[in-house]
């Protein structure tokens, strides 16, 4: 169970806060069960998506959750704590999935790269509500922003290391791996700006297309071996 926010403004640390990792342990990185958000976090997520962080009050969240404002303050000291819990839960889940996707490739660089990009795009579609909150990070207070940035950097470092290994093995043609990595992750993040459930393309198809685009972006000389497609949650 996550800790509750204490103090005046920034953290999300207390003894009784709802879990910030609603996805729980991940088995298959391609499978996405529905998020099991605490009602307070579910209400906050809905309000932030409809009205933005700046346009949402704690009273709005309480009203949507059907609880009193003091009940929210029992779990979180302020609105910032709600945003922190949702952002950290989202980035924590995609990190967990990306590591599993990487490990599944067994050290083969092309598969590692393709898997991680596919994984990130699957996250941006299946978890579009929480992943889309990344645009609200500008409202994080300095300490919270540094912590969140460090978590995002772990994902960036994972993909950058794969790109650098691909260059070293002569599989990729990239001049600046850090810049290329940031561009690729930015491309993946942008999916949250247009994707909506029930659209013409399912998440799996979008992820496959973006993995192919990413391979062309790094100048991959060959492509990973085709794999059998399995059923995925939508």
């Amino acid at each position: 169970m996550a800790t509750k926010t204490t103090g005046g403004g920034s953290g999300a640390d207390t003894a009784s806060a709802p879990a910030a990792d609603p996805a729980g342990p991940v088995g298959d990185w391609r499978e996405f069960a529905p998020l099991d958000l605490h009602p307070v976090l579910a209400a906050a997520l809905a309000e932030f998506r409809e009205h933005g962080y700046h346009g949402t009050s704690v009273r709005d969240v309480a009203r949507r959750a059907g609880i009193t404002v003091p009940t929210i303050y029992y779990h979180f000291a302020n609105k910032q704590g709600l945003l922190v819990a949702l952002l950290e839960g989202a980035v924590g889940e995609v990190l967990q999935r990306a590591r599993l996707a990487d490990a599944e490739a067994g050290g083969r660089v092309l598969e590692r790269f393709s898997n991680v990009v596919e994984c990130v795009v699957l996250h941006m579609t299946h978890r579009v509500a929480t992943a889309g909150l990344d645009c609200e990070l500008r409202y994080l207070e300095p300490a919270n922003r540094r912590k969140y940035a460090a978590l995002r950097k772990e994902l960036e470092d994972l993909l950058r290391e794969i790109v650098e290994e691909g260059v070293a093995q002569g599989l990729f043609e990239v001049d600046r791996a850090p810049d290329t990595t940031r561009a690729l992750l930015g491309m993946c993040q942008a999916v949250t700006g247009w994707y909506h459930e029930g659209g013409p393309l399912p998440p799996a198809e979008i992820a496959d297309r973006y993995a192919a685009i990413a391979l062309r972006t790094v100048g991959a000389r060959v492509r990973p071996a085709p794999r059998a497609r399995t059923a995925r949650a939508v």
Side-chain angles (χ1 to χ4, degrees), residues 4 15 19 27 38-39 44 51 76 80-82 97 102 109 127 132 140 146 148 160 163 188 191 200 205 210 217:
K4 170 186 171 187
H38 185 281
H51 308 293
F76 298 93
Q80 179 87 178
L82 299 171
R97 290 180 180 278
D102 181 31
V109 171
R127 298 289 190 249
L140 289 178
R146 286 192 296 271
Y148 180 65
R160 176 185 50 75
V163 172
C188 295
V191 171
E205 180 64 26
Y210 270 63
T217 300

Side-chain angles (χ1 to χ4, degrees), residues 40-41 44 48 61 72 76 78-87:
V40 172
L41 292 179
F48 293 160
V61 175
I72 290 183
F76 298 93
N78 48 39
K79 184 174 67 170
Q80 179 87 178
L82 299 171
L83 181 61
V84 168
L86 289 166
L87 284 172

Side-chain angles (χ1 to χ4, degrees), residues 120-181:
V120 173
V121 176
L122 285 174
H123 176 79
M124 298 302 167
T125 52
H126 285 290
R127 298 289 190 249
V128 63
T130 51
L133 284 181
D134 187 79
C135 66
E136 303 287 359
L137 70 87
R138 63 189 182 276
Y139 293 115
L140 289 178
E141 296 174 5
N144 291 328
R145 182 178 294 191
R146 286 192 296 271
K147 183 178 180 183
Y148 180 65
L151 291 170
R152 290 205 311 173
K153 187 67 161 54
E154 290 185 39
L155 180 61
E156 181 182 323
D157 287 346
L158 172 63
L159 186 58
R160 176 185 50 75
E161 184 273 325
I162 297 171
V163 172
E164 290 174 343
E165 183 63 25
V167 172
Q169 292 186 20
L171 298 171
F172 298 160
E173 290 186 11
V174 169
D175 292 329
R176 296 176 179 83
D179 293 343
T180 300
T181 300

Side-chain angles (χ1 to χ4, degrees), residues 29-30 114-122 207-208 211 227 232:
W29 59 270
R30 290 189 176 97
S114 183
N115 278 7
V116 170
V117 172
E118 178 189 353
C119 169
V120 173
V121 176
L122 285 174
D208 286 347
R227 59 175 176 79
R232 303 175 192 171

